[in-house]
């Protein structure tokens, strides 16, 4: 009997049920859209932000602290420590190796030009594929690490027959060189300028050349001054800040949690474990900025999701209030026949539940499709399939329907429990 009454309610007045379903569809679609973006945007934004610079600096543990005045570096010690280029693949061997998106080694030197000028010469990877543990290769270099660099001309090739270089825009202006010209060294060597670099940093005063050439030029085969690393990281919380201040204060359980979370400090610690005699320092200006931006964006999306849920509940409440008022005679008759209160209320809750589940299922599919389109427009790639989003959207939709039905269903039956004088005695 209860099922027939509920089915009859859908058949007698399908318009309002469809309107309620459409309300839940659009509300669930918005929740699905924001939920999928919130769950997926962290990695995508981290990848986008990582292109704006390295957030980890790897230096030799015994590296002396030098002094840089303008574009010239002064070292108070005669002996300079170096990293081994052969250790670089170990960067991709740590627990969080998949979070390492790019790295580039640098070797600092100077070059004497044929005109008598002495200029900073820095060796690096422009774009190279290197073997990493597991029998795979990893393509990396400054072209990947610093995608915001502006190059007039083109990037050099690391393995070209002629030594190809980038010249910083400030240095190029002083030397009067353009892409395609050749710089002659004092020892008779030549450098082909393939591009003029505008980085907005100290590189604007340098010549960037392939690492192998600078190693030969300085007699430092296999040596590297430092390495800049870009990694996807998790924003710091109280645990990460405690570990940064005093690692010894963590319990064994807290240490395991910290080590197995992609905090910038945890990744730095693991890199120090992997690379002998290396000191890894987070670039806090970059790391903190990335974490703060991602936290704010995810908080903003979460607030919008909550607001959408409340708006959907209010919309359902308005529609169900109208439905309850229109069925006041039916409710009063059921009360007069002795129907218990929970039986009357269950009708409205079952109807709301059916609307919530159906609207939520269609809304999830619609929202997932829209999130993929939006992510493709913003980041150039779609969102990943998150199975956990399906029950979350359905539960949210069901909650909105039931919560929106609670007020009208609880207030109207009492006031409508007695048949009116008109229905009891007939027209006056």
């Amino acid at each position: 009997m209860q099922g027939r009454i509920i089915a009859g309610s859908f058949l007698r007045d399908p318009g309002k049920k469809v309107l309620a379903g459409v309300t839940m569809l659009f509300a669930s679609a918005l929740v699905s859209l924001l939920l999928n973006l919130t769950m997926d945007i962290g990695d995508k934004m981290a990848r986008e932000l990582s292109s704006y610079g390295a957030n980890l600096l790897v230096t030799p543990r015994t590296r002396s602290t030098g002094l840089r005045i303008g574009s010239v570096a002064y070292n108070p010690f005669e002996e300079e420590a170096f990293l081994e280029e052969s250790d670089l693949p170990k960067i991709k061997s740590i627990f969080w190796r998949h979070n390492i998106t790019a790295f580039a080694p640098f070797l600092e030197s100077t070059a004497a030009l044929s005109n008598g000028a002495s200029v900073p010469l820095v060796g690096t990877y422009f774009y190279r594929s290197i073997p990493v543990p597991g029998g795979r290769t990893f393509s990396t270099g400054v072209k990947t690490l610093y995608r915001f660099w502006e190059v007039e001309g083109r990037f050099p090739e690391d393995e070209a027959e002629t030594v190809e270089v980038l010249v910083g825009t400030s240095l190029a202006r002083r030397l009067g060189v353009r892409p395609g010209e050749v710089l002659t060294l004092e020892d008779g060597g030549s450098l082909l300028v393939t591009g003029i670099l505008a980085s907005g940093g100290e590189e604007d005063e340098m010549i960037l050349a392939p690492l192998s050439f600078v190693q030969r030029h300085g007699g430092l085969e296999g040596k590297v001054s430092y390495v800049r690393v870009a990694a996807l990281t998790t924003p710091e919380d109280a645990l990460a800040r405690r570990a940064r201040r005093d690692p010894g204060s963590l319990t064994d359980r807290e240490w395991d949690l910290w080590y197995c979370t992609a905090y910038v400090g945890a990744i730095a610690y693991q890199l120090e474990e992997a690379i002998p005699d290396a000191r890894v320092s987070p670039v806090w200006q970059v790391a903190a900025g990335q974490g703060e931006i991602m936290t704010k964006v995810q908080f903003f999306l979460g607030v919008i999701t909550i607001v959408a849920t409340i708006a959907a509940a209010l919309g359902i409440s308005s529609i169900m209030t109208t439905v309850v008022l229109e069925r006041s005679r039916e409710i009063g008759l059921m009360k007069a026949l002795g129907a218990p209160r929970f039986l009357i209320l269950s009708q409205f809750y079952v109807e709301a539940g059916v609307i919530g589940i159906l609207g939520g299922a269609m809304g999830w599919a619609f929202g997932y499709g829209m999130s993929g389109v939006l992510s493709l427009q913003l980041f150039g790639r779609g969102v990943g399939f998150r199975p956990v989003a399906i029950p979350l959207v359905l539960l949210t939709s069901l909650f909105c329907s039931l919560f929106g039905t609670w007020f009208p269903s609880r207030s109207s039956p009492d006031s409508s429990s007695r048949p009116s004088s008109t229905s009891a005695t007939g027209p006056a």
Side-chain angles (χ1 to χ4, degrees), residues 27-338:
S28 300
L30 181 58
V31 171
S32 175
L33 167 67
L34 297 173
L35 189 61
N36 279 291
L37 286 179
T38 301
M39 297 171 69
D40 203 65
I41 202 171
D43 289 346
K44 285 187 170 62
M45 284 203 63
R47 288 184 181 277
E48 290 294 321
L49 292 171
S50 67
S51 67
Y52 290 93
N55 52 3
L56 291 162
L57 178 65
V58 184
T59 58
R61 186 168 294 277
T62 57
R63 180 182 175 91
S64 59
T65 303
L67 174 67
R68 180 178 292 278
I69 300 177
S71 61
V72 181
Y74 298 91
N75 197 322
F77 299 96
E78 293 182 0
E79 283 295 320
E80 180 65 37
F82 296 96
L83 297 169
E84 296 293 332
E85 184 183 4
S86 58
D87 288 331
L88 297 185
K90 296 177 181 177
I91 293 175
K92 292 288 289 183
S93 68
I94 64 172
F95 179 81
W96 288 107
R97 56 187 174 275
H98 297 301
N99 283 46
I100 305 296
T101 59
F103 64 83
F106 295 86
L107 179 61
E108 297 177 336
S109 183
T110 57
L113 302 181
S114 58
N115 61 4
S118 180
V119 296
L121 178 66
V122 177
T124 187
Y125 291 166
F126 291 107
Y127 189 76
R128 283 187 56 179
S129 294
I130 61 174
V132 296
R136 297 170 292 108
T137 59
F138 179 66
S139 297
T140 188
V142 293
K143 191 175 180 180
T144 303
L145 185 62
Y146 294 106
R147 285 185 283 168
F148 68 93
W149 277 6
E150 296 181 4
V151 175
E152 179 188 351
R154 65 173 176 84
F155 272 91
E157 295 182 11
D158 291 88
E159 306 296 335
E161 294 183 4
T162 304
V163 179
E164 299 180 348
V165 299
L166 286 180
V167 179
T169 181
S170 300
L171 180 60
R173 193 178 303 115
R174 290 202 307 273
L175 297 176
V177 297
R178 302 287 299 168
E181 297 184 6
V182 175
L183 291 174
T184 304
L185 300 177
E186 192 175 55
D187 60 7
S190 61
L191 307 175
L192 174 62
V193 180
T194 64
I196 305 300
L197 170 65
S199 69
E202 61 184 9
E203 293 84 5
D204 289 351
E205 296 282 351
M206 301 175 178
I207 295 177
L208 270 66
L211 179 64
S212 57
F213 168 76
V214 178
Q215 288 172 336
R216 293 194 305 270
H217 177 78
L220 297 170
E221 283 77 4
K223 304 299 182 183
V224 171
S225 298
Y226 56 90
V227 184
R228 292 174 180 170
V229 181
L232 304 179
T233 60
T234 298
E236 284 206 321
D237 55 14
L239 176 63
R241 288 189 287 270
R242 279 181 55 203
R244 175 152 48 112
R245 289 193 301 267
D246 183 12
S249 66
L250 302 182
T251 64
D252 291 342
R253 183 175 179 278
E254 289 173 334
W255 176 266
D256 291 339
L257 178 60
W258 173 79
Y259 191 90
C260 295
T261 305
Y263 299 121
V264 66
I267 294 177
Y269 180 84
Q270 292 172 24
L271 287 174
E272 288 187 349
E273 288 183 319
I275 304 175
D277 299 321
R279 175 184 289 110
V280 183
S281 306
V283 183
W284 291 112
Q285 297 93 327
V286 177
Q290 291 175 353
E292 187 176 352
I293 290 173
M294 287 189 291
T295 300
K296 288 181 178 179
V297 170
Q298 290 178 329
F299 174 77
F300 176 71
L301 293 178
V303 169
I304 295 179
T305 302
I306 294 173
V307 171
T309 303
I310 295 174
L314 293 177
I316 290 295
S317 179
S318 176
I319 294 172
M320 293 304 294
T321 297
T322 304
V323 171
V324 169
L325 291 176
E326 290 178 350
R327 294 172 61 182
S328 59
R329 290 176 180 270
E330 178 185 331
I331 295 170
L333 180 59
M334 293 178 65
K335 293 287 289 185
L337 293 174

Side-chain angles (χ1 to χ4, degrees), residues 365-378:
F366 185 65
Y368 178 73
M370 290 299 296
S371 65
V373 173
L374 187 58
S375 178
L376 196 62
Q377 292 293 323
L378 292 176

